Amino acid sequence: MKNNDVHATHSINDNNYVLFDPIADPGTDLEAKASENIAATPPIEIHENKTFLYVKPPYFEFEDTKNVMNKLQETYNQKIMLLLIGYSGCGKTTHCVRFANKYPDFVTYYDDFSSFTASGLNVDIGEKFKQPLKQRRSEVFALKNALENCPHAMFIFDDVDAISPGVTLQKMENMRKIWLKTNIPMVFCGTTQLYYDLYKHAGGHFASMLTNLDEHEMSGMHKSDAMKYVDGLKESEHVCFTWDAKNAIVPMALNSRLGGIRSFTKIIGRAITRVRALYYTSPGHSIPDSARCFVPEIKPGQNYPGTKETYTLPITNDILQIDEHLIRYLLADYKIICKKGRIPATGELNE
């Protein structure tokens, strides 16, 4: 279906309205990267037979994000190998992608390191650098020769978690050999468990890996960071949180078992979308025509699985209030799972 009669200024892929991780780049497969403890959330909100795309909260830079970007820059400048670790949801992938997008001509980003075999990774890198290789582990030597002509290159390998001497460590060792000859900076990114597994298994033949790795751990938000982020939404998004609502949402940013920053910002995105939908559909208000999206044309014989009108809701002139009831509702709806098997009370996780 096409809305040819609507003066639409947005599309469904509008970069300002995506799955609501505030610091994810457009096109990031957030559902695939979601924590196993967090149910996948649909990218729309349906209210009064209207479909609203979730709002993407603004990016907020705090101490940990500044530190990791500085560390990535240092890794590039000093041409070192970096082990970047942190709990799932603390922002590792987001900042690696940000850095790669900042220098697209020099940084090669892999979001699926664990899916490659040792020889398969060599072949894939060879293809990217116009050096066709065969599926043989020995081709790492040919790859080193090819990469010597790329002095400004950098590799970022994400999803480096499953440690086994025959797979992950061999791939890392192959990259270390390339680094020794070419000095191409490299980043290996994974959860904190990667650190313990690496030091547990990387002995004997792989012991040299440990001596060459620099390390940096992301710690995520502090309570003051999360509070400042929520307070800053009043100016940037025209929404304010009651004190109880703030105390209900802030613990999520501080606790890795609740999903960390990723869950924290997703719930905020849902809350903003919900209060804007209520505002624009309330008596005395109306949804601006400019908020309507073009809906992709439906193939013959297929039915659109939702409502016919889709909107990207703009910032309201009035300051909208988000209360604890809405946050609690969204927490329960989002099926947050903690070790106690229930949604924590307001004061339980202010740690």
Side-chain angles (χ1 to χ4, degrees):
M1 181 193 72
K2 292 182 178 179
N3 291 339
N4 296 324
D5 59 334
V6 175
H7 301 290
T9 59
H10 301 284
S11 69
I12 282 188
N13 292 321
D14 189 325
N15 290 343
N16 293 319
Y17 296 87
V18 297
L19 288 175
F20 45 87
D21 188 323
I23 48 181
D25 295 285
T28 300
D29 188 354
L30 298 176
E31 183 176 347
K33 294 294 183 182
S35 169
E36 294 180 358
N37 288 342
I38 303 172
T41 305
I44 60 174
E45 178 84 25
I46 297 178
H47 178 71
E48 293 190 356
N49 202 37
K50 293 182 176 62
T51 301
F52 304 99
L53 297 185
Y54 283 135
V55 174
K56 173 185 173 183
Y59 172 73
F60 171 66
E61 192 172 65
F62 49 98
E63 183 179 0
D64 194 41
T65 65
K66 294 177 182 177
N67 290 341
V68 73
M69 292 299 283
N70 289 337
K71 190 63 180 181
L72 291 173
Q73 189 69 58
E74 175 188 317
T75 299
Y76 182 82
N77 293 338
Q78 298 186 8
K79 299 186 179 299
I80 60 179
M81 285 200 309
L82 175 68
L83 181 65
L84 178 63
I85 56 175
Y87 66 84
S88 178
C90 71
K92 301 183 303 296
T93 294
T94 294
H95 288 83
C96 285
V97 171
R98 283 186 65 216
F99 191 82
N101 289 342
K102 187 176 180 180
Y103 306 105
D105 295 332
F106 306 109
V107 180
T108 302
Y109 171 74
Y110 279 89
D111 65 353
D112 53 353
F113 184 84
S114 61
S115 68
F116 285 95
T117 62
S119 57
L121 181 60
N122 297 339
V123 170
D124 193 82
I125 293 175
E127 291 177 350
K128 284 181 169 60
F129 286 82
K130 313 300 181 184
Q131 179 69 29
L133 304 175
K134 297 179 180 179
Q135 283 276 1
R136 293 199 301 267
R137 187 171 294 171
S138 60
E139 292 285 9
V140 67
F141 302 107
L143 186 57
K144 285 191 292 186
N145 293 331
L147 293 177
E148 278 187 313
N149 298 320
C150 305
H152 302 297
M154 178 179 183
F155 290 113
I156 297 179
F157 301 108
D158 204 353
D159 192 26
V160 189
D161 277 329
I163 286 290
S164 64
V167 184
T168 301
L169 283 174
Q170 184 61 58
K171 287 184 288 186
M172 294 178 72
E173 177 66 9
N174 286 354
M175 294 301 103
R176 186 190 70 86
K177 292 176 180 177
I178 291 174
W179 171 77
L180 281 176
K181 184 172 183 179
T182 64
N183 285 325
I184 291 179
M186 300 182 184
V187 178
F188 299 97
C189 181
T191 62
T192 309
Q193 188 62 41
L194 172 65
Y195 176 88
Y196 298 112
D197 287 346
L198 187 60
Y199 278 81
K200 177 181 179 181
H201 296 289
H205 179 64
F206 299 108
S208 55
M209 173 62 65
L210 301 179
T211 62
N212 294 134
L213 277 176
D214 196 6
E215 300 161 3
H216 181 81
E217 182 174 3
M218 292 191 67
S219 58
M221 282 184 170
H222 299 300
K223 184 173 182 179
S224 59
D225 296 323
M227 286 288 190
K228 185 177 180 181
Y229 180 85
V230 172
D231 290 338
L233 294 173
K234 183 173 183 179
E235 180 178 353
S236 63
E237 300 297 312
H238 279 202
V239 295
C240 66
F241 287 68
T242 65
W243 179 252
D244 289 337
K246 192 184 302 184
N247 283 332
I249 189 62
V250 162
M252 292 186 63
L254 313 179
N255 196 295
S256 60
R257 63 188 171 90
L258 296 181
I261 299 170
R262 179 171 50 220
S263 300
F264 169 71
T265 51
K266 285 186 176 182
I267 294 297
I268 287 176
R270 294 196 66 185
I272 293 173
T273 307
R274 181 67 62 90
V275 294
R276 285 186 187 171
L278 291 171
Y279 175 87
Y280 281 112
T281 57
S282 64
H285 300 94
S286 61
I287 300 174
D289 284 342
S290 61
R292 296 189 184 185
C293 296
F294 287 114
V295 178
E297 185 175 3
I298 304 300
K299 296 180 180 179
Q302 293 185 351
N303 295 320
Y304 183 62
T307 54
K308 294 183 178 181
E309 293 183 315
T310 304
Y311 301 89
T312 56
L313 295 175
I315 295 175
T316 59
N317 292 325
D318 300 327
I319 302 294
L320 305 181
Q321 180 173 279
I322 295 175
D323 59 21
E324 183 187 18
H325 174 75
L326 175 57
I327 294 298
R328 291 289 172 190
Y329 169 79
L330 294 176
L331 286 171
D333 183 57
Y334 200 46
K335 301 178 182 178
I336 300 300
I337 301 172
C338 65
K339 292 180 180 178
K340 296 180 181 179
R342 61 183 177 82
I343 304 300
T346 298
E348 284 185 337
L349 292 175
N350 287 338
E351 52 193 60

